[in-house]
Amino acid sequence: MDLHDKEILPGEILPVVIIGNGPSGICLSYLLSGYTPYLSPDASHPNPLLHSKLGEQPHLSLLEQDLEYLCEGLEGRSSNPVAVLFDSLLLPDSDFGLDHTSPLEWRYEPERAVPHLVLGKGPPGGAWHAMEGSMLTLSLANWMELPGLKLKDWMREKRRNVRNDRATPAEIASYYQHYVSQMSLEQSFACGTTVTSVTRQPGSHEGSPPCWRVTGQQRREGEELGDGSSVSEEVPFSLLAHNVVLATGTHDIPARLGVEGESLPFVCHSFWELEAAISRGELDQSSDPVLVVGAGLTAADAVLAAHHLNTPVYHAFRRSVTDPGLIFNQLPKLLYPEYHKVHQMMTQQQYRPNPPPHDPAQNLRDHSTPSSLPPSSSTTSSSPSSYPGYLSFPRYRVVAFRPDQKCVLESDSGQRTVVQVSKALVLIGAHPNLSFLDDNGRSLGIDPNETISCRRNPIEVDPFTNNVVTADGPGMYAMGPLVGENFVRFLKGGALAIASDLAKRQKEGWGREEGDLTTDRWVDRQVTTQTEAEVCVVDS
């Protein structure tokens, strides 16, 4: 869709604008397009209490039911109750590696559709398209699929052999893009868009209600040059909406440690920088160790990539290996064997410092230097070379990076260690780009004094509606990593919560006021304003 209008017609208000076109935005668009979940008459759920509750009003769709009531008593791997509910209905008992049939059936009911627009910087799929260069594969386990299109079925059609239920990030990105087309959602997607401002608009004297104004720019390809290239232009747009959904993900800005020397050339903040170094032949078994900082899945990918090349690895992270908050302690071993292997490495191959010196002042100086030892040395690990070439530093933090490519690590007890490295990879997560909000959206977080982040400071929302608690007005929602849901498996619950709340609020009249943009008028506008340029949308 081409948003070449610099301003929508006066008085027209779109019901919903979704900022972000990754799996969060795509799933919500699916629910807002009239695809409605019901309990299948012949189905049963392995949880008898949940099945009994669903059977009390089988004529009602899931969107019309009391989600809080259905969530009572459910337990799962997410702290969001609706995420646990929806996951339990889409993938019953999947934590146990079981493949029960979902008790839900999906009915297309166009009369339920809520007009909406999905904005994104790139093609549908969001950050998954930025992962296309990855040499690693991801575990399918149905967790990354969206309702209505089985990922395994799509994979089998795409290629002849599916080995061990594996798929590359590029294939996952392609799946999401295909999903938008397969489900006929394209008319609601506007790609190549960058949102620059979201503000609350007061009501007018003419009776126009308060709403949200979303402004930004859309990239359009201009005329083609003689060499086959084309000149792109940025065209501004401005929209009014009753409701705005923040679904941008959190992959835009890599988190930094904020320590001395972090900007030195050998310090990287992206897994793809490691891949680039590998492709250039800069790392091999004779290289100095690579230091990986962080204990998330991206850090684990870096450990696996370096270990695959027999490049020595030092691995530093702040948590204990037994910390229940550590992601590896939350993943089923059966479904994620490669990450279980990394966790084993972290546990079995730990650095053991020399006994602290008698002089307490000595602790203030760097005194232990495993850089002179191979990471697999049994003198510095808890077991004799269980995983040669790897050494973990649990409950350590980086104090400084030095120009001579040495890194200073410090334990919880204050003991310092210096390591010599070839590269340092700081993979401690990322922050979302919320520059279109005042103060980058800090006021929306659980701690308004901290930057918004998936794990440490997510946006605070109502657990059953995903309404942003401290928004400037009603009708602002957030979902996905912005509210702490990093797995596609669970972010679908946010889509259910929002779609359910929007359906209830629509009945109360926010979509009926004079001047609002109805579905038919919105589609008509799309047809009459479409130009020859074909443009997509982004979910950053």
Side-chain angles (χ1 to χ4, degrees), residues 79-102:
S79 59
N80 185 311
V82 181
V84 173
L85 169 67
F86 205 28
D87 177 71
S88 176
L89 293 172
L90 291 171
L91 302 168
D93 282 349
S94 62
D95 279 338
F96 303 105
L98 302 178
D99 192 17
H100 286 305
T101 301
S102 171

Side-chain angles (χ1 to χ4, degrees), residues 101-428:
T101 301
S102 171
L104 297 180
E105 67 175 20
W106 292 85
R107 304 175 191 172
Y108 179 57
E109 300 175 332
E111 68 277 8
R112 291 184 183 271
V114 178
H116 63 281
L117 181 63
V118 186
L119 306 177
K121 295 176 185 175
W128 285 93
H129 290 280
M131 303 179 194
E132 288 191 6
S134 179
M135 55 181 272
L136 302 177
T137 58
L138 297 165
S139 198
L140 280 187
N142 294 333
W143 288 9
M144 289 173 286
E145 71 184 22
L146 298 178
L149 180 60
K150 288 289 186 182
L151 183 53
K152 288 183 179 179
D153 294 344
W154 180 81
M155 289 297 300
R156 289 191 181 97
E157 292 179 5
K158 185 176 175 61
R159 56 182 180 173
R160 293 180 180 177
N161 297 317
V162 182
R163 297 182 180 178
N164 301 322
D165 284 348
R166 311 298 287 177
T168 66
E171 288 170 325
I172 299 299
S174 179
Y175 164 79
Y176 290 137
Q177 197 163 0
H178 176 78
Y179 182 92
V180 171
S181 174
Q182 180 76 17
M183 301 302 173
S184 302
L185 308 179
E186 299 105 320
Q187 68 174 6
S188 298
F189 279 69
C191 298
T193 59
T194 300
V195 174
T196 56
S197 175
V198 174
T199 55
R200 187 68 178 168
Q201 292 284 111
S204 68
H205 296 296
E206 291 76 26
S208 178
C211 60
W212 298 95
R213 181 176 291 277
V214 180
T215 59
Q217 294 183 325
Q218 184 175 37
R219 185 180 63 257
R220 293 171 56 195
E221 297 300 326
E223 55 181 280
E224 191 169 313
L225 303 178
D227 60 0
S229 63
S230 59
V231 178
S232 62
E233 58 178 340
E234 301 287 340
V235 180
F237 66 87
S238 182
L239 304 166
L240 295 177
H242 286 291
N243 304 281
V244 171
V245 181
L246 307 178
T248 60
T250 61
H251 294 279
D252 292 309
I253 306 170
R256 298 177 69 88
L257 295 167
V259 300
E260 178 186 347
E262 193 168 3
S263 297
L264 289 168
F266 73 93
V267 182
C268 306
H269 293 82
S270 164
F271 175 80
W272 320 120
E273 292 178 83
L274 172 64
E275 285 201 323
I278 291 173
S279 65
R280 292 192 298 264
E282 296 177 5
L283 297 173
D284 57 32
Q285 59 187 8
S286 63
S287 304
D288 282 331
V290 170
L291 173 65
V292 177
V293 182
L297 298 185
T298 304
D301 288 341
V303 169
L304 290 169
H307 198 63
H308 179 72
L309 294 175
N310 293 320
T311 300
V313 177
Y314 290 136
H315 188 190
F317 44 95
R318 298 294 302 270
R319 296 178 183 268
S320 162
V321 292
T322 58
D323 190 324
L326 198 68
I327 188 64
F328 306 102
N329 292 320
Q330 302 172 26
L331 293 176
K333 297 176 183 179
L334 181 65
L335 299 180
Y336 287 87
E338 72 276 43
Y339 293 135
H340 175 57
K341 175 185 176 181
V342 173
H343 191 220
Q344 281 186 320
M345 295 165 69
M346 294 162 65
T347 303
Q348 297 178 15
Q349 206 75 10
Q350 297 183 34
Y351 169 65
R352 302 299 185 195
N354 296 326
H358 296 296
D359 178 8
Q362 180 70 18
N363 256 345
L364 300 177
R365 301 190 292 272
D366 308 327
H367 66 271
S368 183
T369 56
S371 56
S372 62
L373 299 170
S376 59
S377 171
S378 61
T379 63
T380 58
S381 65
S382 59
S383 62
S385 301
S386 303
Y387 294 98
Y390 173 89
L391 188 63
S392 71
F393 290 80
R395 305 180 74 169
Y396 270 78
R397 67 185 184 93
V398 176
V399 175
F401 298 102
R402 295 177 175 173
D404 59 359
Q405 295 189 218
K406 289 183 179 179
C407 304
V408 184
L409 305 178
E410 184 177 83
S411 69
D412 279 358
S413 63
Q415 191 170 22
R416 291 192 172 186
T417 299
V418 179
V419 294
Q420 180 76 50
V421 303
S422 58
K423 283 193 176 296
L425 290 161
V426 179
L427 303 173
I428 56 173

